[in-house]
Amino acid sequence: QVQLVESGGGLVQAGGSLRLSCAASGSFFSINTMGWYRQAPGKQRELVAAITSDGSSNYADSVKGRFTISRDNAKNTCYLQMTSLKPEDTAVYYCNVRGRARTNSRYESDYWGQGTQVTVSS
């Protein structure tokens, strides 16, 4: 019933920018944290940025100063503005939502988007 729809990935030259969007829809009772993870080939999935319901955010050290996470609670949408992209940012980016579904509102669960490819060329 719940669904995360991601968009905005693509191919960009080093130094360029992209903005990822994640729209959460369906039977959410509440949404706590929204965030972005990424996974490059041969590497573990890592947290890129996260933002809480009150707007507090945190970032991986590797993206601080370059990426900005935001959310529009009215639209249940999270954004990741990526600037000064580097080849090492190349990965599949996954939207993550930690929240409670209406069917099980007592416990929080993690929900994941399908992933969107970001490729940064040298």
Side-chain angles (χ1 to χ4, degrees), residues 66-85:
R66 299 189 297 119
F67 292 9
T68 301
I69 190 169
S70 60
R71 63 191 284 174
D72 185 337
N73 290 331
K75 297 180 178 180
N76 278 345
T77 300
C78 180
Y79 306 94
L80 184 68
Q81 179 67 51
M82 305 184 293
T83 62
S84 301
L85 283 162

Side-chain angles (χ1 to χ4, degrees), residues 7-8 17-22 35-38 48-50 58-59 63 66-71 78-83 93-94 118:
S7 62
S17 300
L18 287 172
R19 189 175 80 153
L20 306 182
S21 299
C22 173
W36 291 91
Y37 290 71
R38 68 185 181 188
V48 178
N58 65 283
Y59 300 88
V63 307
R66 299 189 297 119
F67 292 9
T68 301
I69 190 169
S70 60
R71 63 191 284 174
C78 180
Y79 306 94
L80 184 68
Q81 179 67 51
M82 305 184 293
T83 62
Y93 284 70
Y94 297 91
V118 172

